[in-house]
Amino acid sequence: MFINGKEIKTTNDALAKFIFTTEGSEDICKNFTNAVLDDLNFKPIPDFSLTSPVFSSTTYDAKTNLFDVKGETSTNDQLDFEIQRTNHEGFEIRLINNNSRQFERVKQSTEYGNYPYFYVIAIVNFNFKLSGNVPFFHNCFCYSSIVVKESCLSYKAQIHVLEIPKWERIHKEPITIDSLKNYSQLDFFMKLFSDKTTYEEIQIMAAQNVAINYAKNKVDQFVLNDENLKAYSLAEEAEKVRRAEISYALNEGINEGINKGRDEKEREIVQNMLKKNYDMASIVDVTGLSEDIIKSYSI
């Protein structure tokens, strides 16, 4: 969308975190989570409180969390949001690993067997890799039986993946007050996070939907602050670097040793990622290198 002549993407790390983690964002997070859960007939959450660091124009990209946004309910249920624009090998494994690390952390302070719910909601701006041609834009993964794959062992650990491109292919019609009558609450949020959405369309949605109106107000607040816009630009530059790093890792065969100067390029990429505070799991996912090699490059 364009606001005051500047292109603004709601999937930008800085803006997405501003929407979800600044003062008054709890209602947005709660409405978004319940829209996701309701879409697949899961029970709603009763409340929400943020445990993420509040957005700051200077620290928005600090890798202090496993996920972009973190929160919990009064019953200690854990909620995590991840905004991902660039696809890379191993992203689904990172979701599982980070969810497992969350579980291990909470398990230590929880009465045996009385574990809370764990919800991970990933908004991805690419087609998520699934077995077969899955047409649905919203898929949920739970712990399932290995023997009987239709048998779900537990719904207490859920990973929801929302694919923006698939949603866009389903909803091609222009936004009007009449067309919005067919929108679910989740459709409103998916339209909000689509790069194809115009600011004028968000204004129409905001007039019809309270949750989107809250989010629109966050967008308006964001673009009125020069420091926020600087953070936005830095996040866009970081995204370009990330795309280049991933492209190199996937296309040049980092772990195959076939290119001259490969070791130096490996070292450069790893050191750049370490400077940006990527966690070890993310570096392994992107580069395909072992932890031992990564540690040797960090010296």
Side-chain angles (χ1 to χ4, degrees), residues 103-104 106-116 118 156:
F103 175 77
E104 288 299 321
V106 174
K107 185 175 70 171
Q108 296 173 9
S109 59
T110 304
E111 182 180 348
Y112 182 76
N114 191 27
Y115 303 126
F118 288 81
K156 277 204 165 186

Side-chain angles (χ1 to χ4, degrees), residues 25-284:
S25 291
E26 288 86 357
D27 282 341
I28 298 175
C29 293
K30 176 183 174 182
N31 281 316
F32 173 59
T33 302
N34 283 336
V36 173
L37 296 177
D38 181 67
D39 189 55
L40 297 182
N41 297 315
F42 288 112
K43 68 177 183 179
I45 61 167
D47 52 60
F48 181 93
S49 61
L50 283 165
T51 55
S52 288
V54 173
F55 168 90
S56 163
S57 60
T58 57
T59 62
Y60 73 91
D61 61 343
K63 299 297 182 180
T64 54
N65 291 323
L66 297 177
F67 296 100
D68 290 333
V69 181
K70 291 175 59 60
E72 63 183 20
T73 71
S74 57
T75 55
N76 295 321
D77 296 335
Q78 304 293 305
L79 287 81
D80 303 289
F81 303 159
E82 176 77 5
I83 316 294
Q84 184 78 15
R85 288 197 280 171
T86 305
N87 191 11
H88 60 80
E89 296 293 337
F91 174 68
E92 66 278 13
I93 300 301
R94 183 161 67 89
L95 287 179
I96 295 170
N97 286 345
N98 288 352
N99 197 27
S100 299
R101 289 162 67 185
Q102 272 285 81
F103 175 77
E104 288 299 321
R105 181 184 64 79
V106 174
K107 185 175 70 171
Q108 296 173 9
S109 59
T110 304
E111 182 180 348
Y112 182 76
N114 191 27
Y115 303 126
Y117 277 78
F118 288 81
Y119 306 95
V120 175
I121 302 174
I123 308 170
V124 300
N125 205 13
F126 52 83
N127 291 322
F128 193 69
K129 291 185 177 180
L130 297 169
S131 58
N133 185 21
V134 179
F136 309 109
F137 76 90
H138 177 197
N139 289 280
C140 177
F141 306 91
C142 303
Y143 289 112
S144 301
S145 169
I146 296 174
V147 178
V148 184
K149 293 187 177 181
E150 291 74 19
S151 173
C152 188
L153 296 179
S154 175
Y155 283 112
K156 277 204 165 186
Q158 304 175 13
I159 298 178
H160 295 262
V161 180
L162 307 173
E163 299 173 74
I164 294 174
K166 284 184 180 178
W167 184 90
E168 290 172 339
R169 288 199 293 272
I170 297 169
H171 296 83
K172 297 179 180 178
E173 72 280 3
I175 287 293
T176 65
I177 293 176
D178 285 338
S179 68
L180 291 179
K181 293 178 182 178
N182 298 319
Y183 267 38
S184 67
Q185 184 66 41
L186 182 56
D187 286 329
F188 276 98
F189 277 106
M190 295 300 293
K191 183 67 174 175
L192 173 70
F193 284 103
S194 168
D195 290 340
K196 296 180 180 179
T197 302
T198 66
Y199 185 65
E200 290 71 26
E201 288 177 320
I202 288 182
Q203 289 177 309
I204 294 172
M205 292 196 300
Q208 305 298 316
N209 187 281
V210 174
I212 300 303
N213 187 52
Y214 287 149
K216 172 193 167 293
N217 290 339
K218 292 287 184 183
V219 174
D220 292 340
Q221 293 171 27
F222 184 88
V223 299
L224 290 175
N225 185 292
D226 288 341
E227 289 299 314
N228 292 344
L229 292 178
K230 289 179 183 177
Y232 178 95
S233 296
L234 289 172
E236 288 300 293
E237 289 301 316
E239 180 68 14
K240 291 179 183 178
V241 171
R242 188 177 298 116
R243 287 178 184 273
E245 290 169 342
I246 291 170
S247 176
Y248 178 85
L250 296 180
N251 296 327
E252 297 300 321
I254 279 181
N255 221 22
E256 299 299 325
I258 59 176
N259 291 325
K260 186 177 180 180
R262 175 186 63 88
D263 290 345
E264 286 306 311
K265 190 62 180 179
E266 282 181 1
R267 184 185 300 276
E268 180 184 346
I269 290 175
V270 168
Q271 290 179 345
N272 282 339
M273 296 184 78
L274 290 169
K275 286 178 183 177
K276 295 183 180 73
N277 296 316
Y278 280 69
D279 58 37
M280 180 62 74
S282 297
I283 300 175
V284 170

